[in-house]
Amino acid sequence: MPGAPRPDAPSRRSPARGAAGGGTGALTRAVHAPSFATLLAERVLEPLGMKRTDCTGQDQATGHWYGRPREPFALPGMPAAGAVRSSARDMLAYLAAHLDPARAGCASGARTTGHPDDRVREQAGGHAPALRQALAQVSRPLLRHPRSADQLGLVWNIRQRPGHRLVFHAGATPGFTAFAGFSPEARVAVVALANAAGAGGCPALVQHAYLTLRELADRAA
């Protein structure tokens, strides 16, 4: 967060990023007052046109835990740690914004006609400058993994390749697995979503998605 004090000697150990994300969401909600879902919609989803993303859990796919269908995952006390439901198309729009932060939310500032949907887009456009600043900051290196050359941004893993970086994150909840990654220099992005998970998510899906990102970025760079 801009202006927040940084510790003099940050830890080099990787934190539990699901819990860290949940804590960040709770802190953001406490500072800005509305619910996390409202903040997410106003500050991120509406400016980026992500119409199939929310925190309601309605109209979502059925997750499978070790092959068995399960009820939607809920963590009311830390909604930022697993409450967001999205689609592959919306997630690609989110990653496209990371590839070009300076233009993120530009469509929201388009000329309006007075239609209610246009007024929503106009209001969303007012949050675009802060969103662009945040998108530019979250993938900047903050920590280095203790046993490799990999680095960490704000939740994002950062791995250096010849001539470009890979920025990626994978995660799972009971019933779902997700991977999202991009290369700012190669200008490619990959999203992989599955409604299946075990104790470690779906490692084969995550590995295949990462290798696909790496191959696409190596070719394009």
Side-chain angles (χ1 to χ4, degrees), residues 174-189:
F176 291 89
T177 304
F179 174 92
F182 62 98
S183 173
E185 295 79 16
R187 299 189 64 77
V188 299

Side-chain angles (χ1 to χ4, degrees), residues 17 50 86-96 98-99 139 154-159 165-172 177-184 188-194 205-214:
R17 281 166 283 171
M50 297 172 64
S86 190
S87 67
R89 185 182 297 274
D90 270 13
M91 285 302 301
L92 284 173
Y94 178 65
L95 294 185
H98 282 81
L99 293 178
S139 60
L154 188 58
V155 178
W156 292 107
N157 298 286
I158 304 167
R159 182 167 295 166
R165 295 168 294 156
L166 299 180
V167 184
F168 58 95
H169 182 74
T177 304
F179 174 92
F182 62 98
S183 173
V188 299
V190 170
V191 170
L193 306 175
L205 173 82
V206 171
Q207 181 68 8
H208 184 72
Y210 169 77
L211 293 176
T212 300
L213 172 65
R214 188 179 71 178

Side-chain angles (χ1 to χ4, degrees), residues 22-51:
T24 301
L27 175 61
T28 304
R29 179 180 58 184
V31 171
H32 293 280
S35 68
F36 173 76
T38 300
L39 279 170
L40 180 69
E42 291 180 351
R43 306 298 177 92
V44 180
L45 306 183
E46 290 165 7
L48 297 183
M50 297 172 64
K51 297 181 178 180

Side-chain angles (χ1 to χ4, degrees), residues 100-167:
D100 194 359
R103 290 186 54 80
C106 283
S108 299
R111 186 177 179 180
T112 60
T113 65
H115 187 278
D117 287 347
D118 287 337
R119 287 195 293 271
V120 169
R121 283 192 290 270
E122 187 175 34
Q123 182 181 19
H127 297 303
L131 174 61
R132 292 168 194 153
Q133 182 182 13
L135 289 169
Q137 289 181 348
V138 293
S139 60
R140 291 177 179 171
L142 298 174
L143 299 173
R144 183 178 296 278
H145 281 286
R147 290 179 293 277
S148 76
D150 290 354
Q151 296 174 305
L152 283 175
L154 188 58
V155 178
W156 292 107
N157 298 286
I158 304 167
R159 182 167 295 166
Q160 191 66 45
R161 298 286 295 169
H164 63 280
R165 295 168 294 156
L166 299 180
V167 184

